[in-house]
Amino acid sequence: MSLAASLDELSLNNSFAALPPDFYTRLEPQGLTAPRLLHANEDAAALLGLDPRALGSEAFLRVFAGLDPLPGGATLAAVYSGHQFGVWAGQLGDGRAHLLGEVRGPQGNWELQLKGAGLTPYSRMGDGRAVLRSSVREYLASEAMHGLGIPTTRALALVVSDDPVIRETVETAAIVTRMAPSFVRFGSFEHWASRRQPELLRQLADYVIDNYYPACRTAGEGAAPYLSLLREVIGRTARLMAQWQHVGFCHGVMNTDNMSILGLTLDYGPYGFMDAFRLDHVCNHSDNQGRYAWNRQPSVALWNLYRLGGALNVLIGDVDAVKAELEAFEPQFTTAFHDGMAAKLGIGSWRVDDEALLDGLLKLMHDQRADFTLTFRHLSDALLGQTQPFLDLYMDRDAAAAWLQQWSARQDDLGGDREARALAMNRINPLYVLRNHLAENAIRAAKQGDTSVLVELLRILRNPFDVHAGAEIYASLPPDWASDLEVSCSS
């Protein structure tokens, strides 16, 4: 298949825009003044079937700066509702996002959405803008998560401007173009259920099933496809939560309007990959109650799924059946979490007594604030007899050595080729993650117009399991100044 040489050669579908106008408001973005393309993602462009040479064109810049429509697109902002920090917030919606259109790519369809392109009817008290700082963070995070193999939205382009935006200080504006097969959220369903408009709720559910979960149609007649839809979303969400926990990722704002109906990591605001491990680590400086702490993410996901289940029960009409599906979340999450942790620890299939081994490690890491990523990565070194890198992460080396002895005994039970097992561990335990200070370095350089730090960081994060020559700084413990970095809902 030949690649499109320009945006106007792309094939568009615009399926969400074909829904009734109840679901969105059609409007044009408010483009940036004198925009500059900070970076364009060739990997994401390939998903659209777009030739990389098109990324440097003036037409590309104008579309993704919000100045021109996507050729063949149908620009809109979607409406939804949701629970924020556990409290019903009522109507929300795309307050600073504009869906440009849906492109038929070589291997599937992708919606293109501008984040930071101006006011919409759903902006509430916001200004509809995004700043360079948060835009760089989202751009990097979506590609970092993809490199880790975790379902996520993708990033196509990052456009900046000198337009002032007021946050805690005066910053400059930016627009990040993000991509996903769909941006429908749990809150999209809550919206119509709360408004007691079952026919619009049904229309949305049918749209999602027909476009993204067609196998649910084979579940039977009547309410069966909607119950099947809930079952599929529960499974995807359970697996996603396990994957987040495996890499020490904290979302920061797991509101129902930030939960993808496709099980994607959606809406990168105050996220963080843990450095020093804490079971109750909170990455969002605005989360004063610790609602979205690392160890609470699975239970919050289940809470959010109960809100989705309640909305879909308007169509299902069987509370017991809905509860039965929701009760499957915990065993699905637990199985996915244990399977992944067994792989990270290099212990083969999970056994019941491995719970004590894992709990012992997590307690050790928590008590001594050991680095999450390097702890697991250096286990492969320990497997081959090189225990120093692992032990060096701990102040109480005796306690670390005692746990390592328990783990080594478990390894002895397996026998086999330790070198092959170490290689397998390194394929699941990343050496590099998007640490806050690395993102901050890219932001500081980008503010000066220097994209070299961002480009190099992207190169490494796209292959986070492989050792990159000369990239030791990206796999090092964070510098002292990193402890002062804070991210909040304004990020």
Side-chain angles (χ1 to χ4, degrees):
M1 179 179 178
S2 61
L3 297 176
S6 62
L7 293 174
D8 56 12
E9 293 181 18
L10 293 175
S11 173
L12 274 75
N13 187 39
N14 299 325
S15 64
F16 189 81
L19 289 170
D22 307 78
F23 291 93
Y24 51 77
T25 299
R26 292 188 185 274
L27 76 169
E28 296 304 315
Q30 298 163 9
L32 299 177
T33 304
R36 305 181 300 278
L37 181 65
L38 191 70
H39 194 265
N41 185 351
E42 292 188 8
D43 289 358
L47 297 173
L48 306 175
L50 185 62
D51 192 306
R53 290 173 293 184
L55 306 183
S57 68
E58 180 68 15
F60 184 91
L61 173 61
R62 289 188 61 82
V63 168
F64 298 111
L67 297 172
D68 290 341
L70 178 70
T75 307
L76 56 86
V79 65
Y80 45 83
S81 294
H83 285 80
Q84 299 190 325
F85 289 89
V87 177
W88 176 244
Q91 178 177 299
L92 302 167
D94 290 333
R96 55 175 174 170
H98 292 70
L99 180 65
L100 299 183
E102 178 185 3
V103 177
R104 293 188 181 96
Q107 297 177 333
N109 291 7
W110 292 89
E111 292 183 345
L112 303 183
Q113 186 185 77
L114 303 184
K115 183 176 180 180
L119 292 167
T120 78
Y122 316 114
S123 297
R124 298 191 292 170
M125 302 298 291
D127 59 13
R129 290 300 185 191
V131 297
L132 182 147
R133 166 177 50 96
S134 62
S135 300
V136 169
R137 282 177 56 82
E138 173 145 3
Y139 194 81
L140 287 169
S142 54
E143 294 308 293
M145 291 291 268
H146 177 70
L148 290 166
I150 298 175
T152 178
T153 56
R154 300 294 302 276
L156 174 65
L158 183 56
V159 178
V160 300
S161 165
D162 293 330
D163 290 339
V165 179
I166 299 174
R167 292 294 183 262
E168 285 89 350
T169 60
V170 178
E171 303 186 50
T172 55
I175 293 176
V176 61
T177 301
R178 51 187 184 180
M179 299 168 37
S182 174
F183 288 96
V184 172
R185 305 135 189 276
F186 289 13
S188 306
F189 292 86
E190 287 185 284
H191 182 75
W192 301 114
S194 69
R195 289 178 168 242
R196 295 178 173 82
Q197 294 182 273
E199 287 311 310
L200 290 174
L201 177 65
R202 186 184 306 278
Q203 200 160 0
L204 178 64
D206 286 341
Y207 167 78
V208 169
I209 289 171
D210 292 340
N211 285 275
Y212 309 106
Y213 293 96
C216 291
R217 284 287 172 221
T218 66
E221 300 296 325
Y226 309 119
L227 190 63
S228 180
L229 171 63
L230 178 62
R231 183 181 308 126
E232 292 297 321
V233 177
I234 289 169
R236 290 195 188 190
T237 305
R239 292 188 293 274
L240 180 67
M241 291 304 105
Q243 289 176 292
W244 285 5
Q245 303 303 90
H246 291 154
V247 296
F249 175 78
C250 298
H251 185 279
V253 194
M254 286 180 64
N255 299 330
T256 59
D257 57 297
N258 291 337
M259 297 291 291
S260 163
I261 203 68
L262 301 184
L264 308 174
T265 311
L266 178 71
D267 286 346
Y268 291 96
Y271 67 85
F273 289 86
M274 273 191 282
D275 297 321
F277 177 68
R278 286 185 60 96
L279 284 163
D280 56 350
H281 176 76
V282 178
C283 69
N284 181 357
H285 189 62
S286 305
D287 185 4
N288 298 318
Q289 303 301 313
R291 177 180 176 82
Y292 299 136
W294 177 82
N295 61 345
R296 299 184 68 180
Q297 290 185 141
S299 61
V300 170
L302 178 57
W303 192 93
N304 290 341
L305 285 164
Y306 265 90
R307 309 287 81 74
L308 176 64
L312 285 173
N313 192 51
V314 174
L315 306 178
I316 297 166
D318 187 340
V319 171
D320 290 338
V322 169
K323 285 184 177 179
E325 296 297 341
L326 290 164
E327 287 170 359
F329 172 87
E330 185 173 353
Q332 289 189 68
F333 165 77
T334 300
T335 297
F337 179 72
H338 283 164
D339 287 349
M341 280 299 183
K344 289 175 73 66
L345 294 170
I347 56 176
S349 299
W350 184 265
R351 302 188 320 203
V352 173
D353 57 344
D354 290 329
E355 194 76 55
L357 183 68
L358 176 60
D359 286 350
L361 176 60
L362 295 179
K363 184 180 186 303
L364 181 70
M365 293 166 64
H366 174 89
D367 290 345
Q368 301 197 40
R369 306 295 186 263
D371 188 83
F372 185 97
T373 301
L374 294 181
T375 285
F376 285 99
R377 181 70 180 199
H378 288 328
L379 280 177
S380 62
D381 299 321
L383 184 63
L384 301 178
Q386 302 166 20
T387 60
Q388 192 78 15
F390 179 88
L391 295 175
D392 283 347
L393 297 171
Y394 293 87
M395 292 179 291
D396 187 345
R397 294 168 63 89
D398 290 341
W403 180 87
L404 206 57
Q405 189 172 10
Q406 297 173 21
W407 173 78
S408 296
R410 177 70 169 87
Q411 291 291 336
D412 291 341
D413 291 345
L414 295 175
D417 186 344
R418 289 199 167 208
E419 288 191 6
R421 196 150 69 245
L423 287 172
M425 292 170 67
N426 284 344
R427 287 194 293 270
I428 195 169
N429 289 318
L431 180 58
Y432 314 98
V433 294
L434 181 58
R435 299 174 183 269
N436 272 343
H437 75 280
L438 298 178
E440 180 64 21
N441 286 336
I443 291 165
R444 292 177 181 179
K447 287 180 177 178
Q448 304 303 316
D450 178 6
T451 62
S452 63
V453 179
L454 182 147
V455 169
E456 178 65 5
L457 190 50
L458 276 177
R459 184 183 71 84
I460 291 168
L461 293 173
R462 283 173 175 148
N463 297 285
F465 305 101
D466 299 335
V467 176
H468 295 270
E472 292 81 7
I473 191 172
Y474 295 97
S476 300
L477 293 173
D480 290 341
W481 60 264
S483 62
D484 296 327
L485 293 174
E486 293 179 347
V487 291
S488 66
C489 289
S490 70
S491 300

